[in-house]
Structure formats: structure tokens, C-alpha cells
Amino acid sequence: MTDRDFIKNSYDVVATPRYLWIDPKTRAIIEMVGADPTLPDFMKKLKNKL
């Protein structure tokens, strides 16, 4: 069993996020998305968040 298998089986996590949106004031996770930063949709979403 790999570490990834252990995490998946123990915590029901299917994939690791590629980035996290974190509120700098509260340090709360706003969003976890597995988007590819090279795609145009990623940049559009990033500009909307900023």
C-alpha cells in the first residue's frame, strides 16, 4: 500500500488539490480545486477572485 492509498482509504480523499484559496485574515480554506493553472479558465477565475 502506498501513502496515497493510505490517505484515500483512511480519510476518503480521492485527489490532492493543486491549489487552495485561503482567506489571509482567517486562514480558512475558501476553495479547493484541482484546476490546471495552464488553462484559460484558471486565469479567469483567479482574476475574478482578486
Side-chain angles (χ1 to χ4, degrees):
M1 178 184 300
T2 65
D3 290 341
R4 185 173 280 189
D5 293 332
F6 174 78
I7 292 170
K8 180 181 175 185
N9 294 334
S10 299
Y11 303 106
D12 198 28
V13 174
V14 179
T16 305
R18 292 187 185 173
Y19 69 87
L20 299 172
W21 294 114
I22 299 176
D23 184 327
K25 293 178 184 171
T26 64
R27 296 185 180 163
I29 296 173
I30 298 170
E31 185 177 346
M32 295 190 324
V33 180
D36 185 346
T38 62
L39 298 177
D41 288 344
F42 176 85
M43 293 308 296
K44 182 178 176 183
K45 192 170 191 177
L46 179 62
K47 287 177 184 177
N48 288 338
K49 291 280 186 184
L50 298 175

